[in-house]
Amino acid sequence: MSLLVVGLSHRSAPVSVLERAALNADAQVKLLQDTVAADPATEAAVLATCNRIELYADVDKFHAGVAELSTLLAQHSGVGLEELTPYLYVHYEDRAVHHLFSVACGLDSMVVGEGQILGQIKDALARAQDLHTAGRLLNDLFQQALRVGKRAHSETGIDRAGQSLVTFGLEQLAADTDVPGWARGRTALVIGAGSMSSLAAATLARAGVGEIVVANRTFERAERLAQILADAEGATARAVRMDAVAAELTRADVVVSCTGATGLVLTADAVAEAVAGRTGEPAADVRAEAPAGTADLPTASAGTDENCPLDLASVQGTPGFSVHGEAAVAGMDAATLEQHAAWVGEGTTLREQGREHDAGGRFTPEADAALIAALAEAVAASGRVPEYRRPEPVAEIPRPAPAVFLLDLAMPRDIDAAVHRLAGVRLVDIESLAEASADAPMASDVDQVRRIVSDEVAAFGAAQRAAHITPTVVALRTMAADVVAAEIARLDGRLPGLDDRLRGEIRQTVHRVVDKLLHAPTVRVKQLAAEPGGTGYADALRTLFDLDPETVAAVSRAVDNTDEKDRPA
């Protein structure tokens, strides 16, 4: 059996895809159950965070395993397999181990070095253990990943390379001000009482906010978190029910939301009402003051245009895009793009297209055709249309100072992205964090952590290969002990008058001879088995000594049961 991981993360997929593919708790449970029920897999674990979804499995066939795990991810995420596949990555055996250890150390995080991923890995292991989908391999792997992550944080300064997503998000909210100075005395509303929300609440408490209000669908959990904040952090904290969020929103200076909801928790209208309640003035949409040339672009009559190669109804009304342009071409192949470019340009060639904008500064079909032709060249080379977003039009006049600060750490998002357009509001979400962290500096400690990961991967592989041969060695020694016992019994039959002292000396001598004969070969075979490519030594032992395969399997089951019983929770 071999370790396989199939997944997608902020490094391989845009936030919009990650948001749609996010798995809630029930979906994760069903995915684990369906994975171990599938033919190629015997063990499974899911690591699902706000910026990654990864399915780990112990499989007996690589290609079949990749196909099955990819299909299951698509089924349970609700994103079609054809759409999801370009964003998936696959790691196998040692590369899969290396990947998880790197993730545990924070090397693969959106904010390099953040330590919250360790808690998420621990949760993933606990879920797999509770569902009995984690066997010996995944238990050993995830527990070792936790140890490697802790070692990286204790032996290096990887923490200096970045902060937790919560801390980084608060720094983005505070902009050019230090977080304690920005937060001191403010009122914070924390929506959700899970690990991320709890971390945010504790961080705000340490930063000196005046009051923390915790809202959660399960009121008892909100009360428990508020009590912990009061006892451990000395914060002024209280719990409210979710139906009180609208009222609390009017009072709150800072809002942090991270729930498992599948829909929006805060709409743009709700935030606008809260801002109006605080300032006494409506929260204007900054697009209303957009300069000439950046207003909403013209749209075509949906679904009625002759010879258009797609149904325009599917993209009609997309903000900031012409249905002739970027929004219309998402997901097309190169051939269809070329057809669409010809349709938009009314059959003219790029050389014949003389205008890019009309008198009002709006994009013309000719300009759209040129854009689509360029996209066709890109998709022909890369295999898919690159994601492109036109910047949101901004007001000519400066935005007013924010009256409300919002941090959305949920995936899928809790807060409507349209809030970005509201004056008097600053919203930081997963997408803006991804953009901001792209230029974050890398600490010199990262290289040291990478060396730790490489060493630990080698050690883990050696330990797994050595463990693979242990049942065979145990079966060999058991067979030798049985042979000694049979010969001693035969000696007793032939020499019934042998006194107990002599019989004991003979038995001890025979055992010493067998132990000495087996010692060097078994020690050496464990050393050889621990090296790369050493898995064949177990087969060689079974063949040379004619060991019963069922005996070896029985020893393996006994070892696994002992490991499971002794394994820490």
Side-chain angles (χ1 to χ4, degrees):
M1 304 298 283
S2 300
L3 178 66
L4 174 68
V5 56
V6 177
L8 67 161
S9 73
H10 64 100
R11 294 186 182 275
S12 69
V15 172
S16 58
V17 174
L18 283 172
E19 187 175 47
R20 291 171 53 210
L23 300 171
N24 59 31
D26 291 340
Q28 292 178 44
V29 169
K30 192 66 167 63
L31 175 57
L32 286 173
Q33 293 170 336
D34 288 353
T35 301
V36 295
D39 287 337
T42 58
E43 302 181 31
V46 174
L47 178 58
T49 73
C50 59
N51 53 30
R52 77 177 61 250
I53 304 163
E54 296 177 343
L55 178 56
Y56 291 77
D58 188 4
V59 300
D60 57 3
K61 298 181 182 68
F62 172 73
H63 293 291
V66 171
E68 186 67 30
L69 267 58
S70 301
T71 301
L72 288 169
L73 272 177
Q75 289 176 351
H76 290 279
S77 68
V79 179
L81 182 59
E82 290 186 1
E83 183 181 358
L84 192 64
T85 297
Y87 304 111
L88 293 177
Y89 47 78
V90 174
H91 298 297
Y92 190 55
E93 294 186 329
D94 285 353
R95 290 300 307 169
V97 177
H98 189 281
H99 175 74
L100 181 58
F101 287 4
S102 297
V103 169
C105 293
L107 293 179
D108 199 58
S109 294
M110 186 179 294
V111 181
V112 174
E114 61 95 7
Q116 189 178 0
I117 187 64
L118 287 173
Q120 294 162 334
I121 291 174
K122 185 177 180 181
D123 291 342
L125 175 59
R127 184 182 302 105
Q129 288 175 336
D130 290 343
L131 295 171
H132 305 289
T133 63
R136 179 174 183 174
L137 175 61
L138 292 186
N139 270 297
D140 290 348
L141 174 70
F142 274 70
Q143 290 192 32
Q144 186 62 23
L146 292 171
R147 287 190 284 267
V148 173
K150 292 175 183 177
R151 179 188 169 192
H153 284 279
S154 63
E155 295 183 12
T156 75
I158 188 66
D159 293 336
R160 295 193 297 269
Q163 312 83 16
S164 73
L165 206 57
V166 168
T167 305
F168 190 62
L170 292 176
E171 288 180 350
Q172 296 302 304
L173 282 183
D176 297 328
T177 308
D178 67 295
V179 172
W182 165 80
R184 189 170 297 113
R186 295 184 185 270
T187 298
L189 170 62
V190 177
I191 305 174
S195 58
M196 186 81 81
S197 299
S198 300
L199 178 60
T203 304
L204 287 167
R206 292 167 196 152
V209 295
E211 181 187 27
I212 299 176
V213 180
V214 182
N216 193 61
R217 295 189 187 282
T218 305
F219 181 64
E220 290 73 16
R221 293 192 64 183
E223 284 187 313
R224 185 159 57 249
L225 177 55
Q227 188 62 49
I228 291 172
L229 293 170
D231 294 343
E233 306 295 342
T236 300
R238 59 187 175 88
V240 298
R241 302 186 185 277
M242 286 296 290
D243 57 11
V245 164
E248 295 296 338
L249 195 60
T250 305
R251 299 180 59 253
D253 304 298
V254 183
V255 180
V256 179
S257 187
C258 187
T259 72
T262 55
L264 293 176
V265 175
L266 294 179
T267 64
D269 289 342
V271 175
E273 290 178 8
V275 173
R278 292 176 64 87
T279 63
E281 298 180 0
D285 188 328
V286 296
R287 293 184 306 172
E289 301 291 338
T294 60
D296 285 349
L297 300 172
T299 59
S301 54
T304 61
D305 297 76
E306 186 178 359
N307 297 324
C308 176
L310 79 162
D311 178 14
L312 292 179
S314 62
V315 293
Q316 178 78 348
T318 304
F321 292 100
S322 163
V323 295
H324 291 274
E326 301 98 323
V329 302
M332 286 188 184
D333 57 24
T336 308
L337 280 170
E338 291 172 359
Q339 295 174 15
H340 193 59
W343 174 79
V344 171
E346 298 179 351
T348 60
T349 65
L350 292 179
R351 291 182 180 179
E352 295 169 337
Q353 296 165 6
R355 296 184 304 134
E356 292 189 354
H357 302 83
D358 62 17
R362 300 174 185 269
F363 285 91
T364 63
E366 289 80 7
D368 281 332
L371 173 64
I372 295 168
L375 284 172
E377 293 179 6
V379 76
S382 66
R384 72 170 187 267
V385 178
E387 183 175 285
Y388 178 82
R389 292 185 303 135
R390 181 170 296 159
E392 191 73 48
V394 295
E396 287 183 318
I397 59 174
R399 295 176 68 134
V404 179
F405 298 83
L406 299 105
L407 177 58
D408 185 359
L409 298 172
M411 183 67 73
R413 71 183 76 226
D414 278 350
I415 303 175
D416 191 346
V419 170
H420 279 295
R421 301 196 301 261
L422 296 179
V425 178
R426 179 177 295 160
L427 169 62
V428 172
D429 53 20
I430 292 296
E431 190 164 15
S432 54
L433 283 174
E435 294 172 355
S437 65
D439 298 325
M442 298 286 286
S444 59
D445 301 270
V446 168
D447 287 337
Q448 185 179 352
V449 173
R450 286 174 176 155
R451 288 192 293 270
I452 289 175
V453 169
S454 296
D455 292 344
E456 291 285 357
V457 169
F460 182 81
Q464 289 296 305
R465 289 187 291 270
H468 178 71
I469 203 170
T470 298
T472 303
V473 172
V474 172
L476 174 60
R477 288 191 171 275
T478 300
M479 184 192 74
D482 291 342
V483 170
V484 169
E487 289 301 314
I488 294 297
R490 190 172 69 85
L491 182 63
D492 287 342
R494 295 181 61 185
L495 300 173
L498 199 63
D499 64 58
D500 292 341
R501 186 183 66 81
L502 289 176
R503 184 181 292 105
E505 286 289 341
I506 293 171
R507 181 183 294 107
Q508 190 174 16
T509 298
V510 175
H511 275 295
R512 279 200 300 267
V513 170
V514 171
D515 287 342
K516 288 182 178 180
L517 286 174
L518 291 180
H519 176 72
T522 53
V523 169
R524 184 59 180 148
V525 80
K526 287 182 179 180
Q527 294 172 343
L528 293 171
E531 297 175 359
T535 54
Y537 286 100
D539 295 333
L541 275 183
R542 287 194 292 269
T543 301
L544 288 172
F545 289 94
D546 195 24
L547 296 175
D548 180 9
E550 180 54 36
T551 301
V552 177
V555 174
S556 297
R557 288 192 293 271
V559 171
D560 288 346
N561 290 337
T562 301
D563 287 349
E564 187 69 32
K565 183 177 67 174
D566 295 339
R567 185 171 288 117

